[in-house]
Amino acid sequence: MAGNIAHNLELVRRRMAAAAGRAGRSVDGVTLIGVTKTISAARIAEAAAAGLAEFGENRVQEAREKIPQIGAGPRWHLVGHLQGNKARHAARLFRVVHSIDSVDLLRRLDHAAQQEQQTIDGLIQVDLAGEASKFGIREDTLDGILESAADCRALRVRGLMALPPYDPDPQATRPYFCRLRRLLESAAPRHPALDLTELSMGMSEDFEVAIEEGATMIRVGRALFGDRPQAGGPG
Ligand SMILES: *Cc1c(COP(=O)(O)O)cnc(C)c1O
């Protein structure tokens, strides 16, 4: 399965289309992000050549080493935790940051984006399960952070991201996806200054369920690139 990326990409796209069809959605409304943590620049280039246009990395340091090797073309997403002191690097490397989890980080990233003369789309990561081990905000702090987002100049907050507890049964994750969508739908009218439409949810195990529940961005690693060495697990 690790072998043929073009073939894997074809399979994932077919599964995406089928899931969108079941939900009465157009698959054009779902962006596939290939998550490339631990994956070599050569294999990323192979995926880009096969037609994948959006990629995600977890760590700024790893991205700083690999992204310059790939060159212009792909659009990069930061899907892992971001430390405030790396905001400047993040603003240079990534056009979308999925892991905003504090007002402080929001402000630092906006400032960094202004300094880099870049525009960044941002998503607020929500810790739906209240897992102490996970990054992300508590649901009841969402409105506060969205109020601050309205003051940003180079960072546009566009929606929400979640990384639900891992479960081998994709149906077990459905309630979390459903909850994230409802959270976005209820927040959007309260924050008309923001264009809140994006839902980043779903990974290799459960992206079809996520699409059925309204995902607009799915973050897929193993289904495209094969299993990772153990050390590079989610988070
Ligand atoms: C690794 C990772 C993914 C992709 O996980 P797969 O199971 O390989 O599809 C998605 N999102 C985040 C935040 C990750 O860390």
Side-chain angles (χ1 to χ4, degrees):
M1 170 178 175
N4 190 336
I5 293 173
H7 176 71
N8 292 346
L9 180 59
E10 170 69 26
L11 291 181
V12 167
R13 287 213 201 282
R14 247 187 261 160
R15 289 166 58 189
M16 289 173 65
R22 285 194 295 278
R25 303 180 56 196
S26 164
V27 77
D28 296 343
V30 187
T31 298
L32 172 62
I33 300 164
V35 177
T36 53
K37 60 186 174 214
T38 78
I39 305 300
S40 70
R43 302 195 69 229
I44 298 170
E46 192 184 332
L52 191 57
E54 316 247 351
F55 293 90
E57 278 286 336
N58 266 61
R59 294 183 180 85
V60 170
Q61 188 52 44
E62 188 178 339
R64 285 180 70 189
E65 287 157 21
K66 290 195 306 198
I67 292 181
Q69 299 178 53
I70 318 285
R75 214 163 84 102
W76 287 90
H77 299 245
L78 179 64
V79 301
H81 179 64
L82 175 60
Q83 289 171 308
N85 61 7
K86 299 206 173 119
R88 190 85 190 250
H89 291 302
R92 195 173 303 139
L93 294 165
F94 298 104
R95 299 284 55 80
V96 188
V97 173
H98 292 231
S99 49
I100 297 170
D101 60 0
S102 71
V103 170
D104 179 61
L105 182 60
L106 181 92
R107 296 206 172 122
R108 284 184 190 231
L109 199 54
D110 182 46
H111 182 67
Q114 289 176 52
Q115 286 181 312
E116 293 291 329
Q117 300 188 310
Q118 293 281 4
T119 303
I120 298 179
D121 280 350
L123 306 175
I124 309 297
Q125 181 173 354
V126 184
D127 176 15
L128 293 169
E131 292 174 283
S133 62
K134 284 262 178 78
F135 296 107
I137 63 154
R138 290 195 344 236
E139 285 175 48
D140 60 2
T141 63
L142 179 61
D143 276 314
I145 204 166
L146 291 177
E147 272 160 34
S148 303
D151 298 330
C152 289
R153 288 158 56 189
L155 173 68
R156 299 177 303 205
V157 170
R158 300 295 318 281
L160 307 179
M161 179 272 228
L163 188 59
Y166 174 78
D167 196 304
D169 174 10
Q171 297 303 335
T173 323
R174 188 184 293 276
Y176 292 105
F177 295 150
C178 184
R179 206 147 112 221
L180 196 71
R181 170 170 42 87
R182 295 220 176 106
L183 204 56
L184 184 78
E185 285 171 354
S186 74
R190 285 197 300 273
H191 301 275
L194 305 172
D195 181 22
L196 294 175
T197 54
E198 301 289 345
L199 282 171
S200 167
M201 56 190 198
M203 315 192 346
S204 291
E205 229 61 73
D206 52 21
F207 68 83
E208 289 147 303
V209 173
I211 290 170
E212 288 169 17
E213 295 298 333
T216 63
M217 298 179 182
I218 58 171
R219 311 179 308 265
V220 177
R222 288 166 300 135
L224 292 169
F225 299 103
D227 284 339
R228 287 180 293 273
Q230 215 49 2

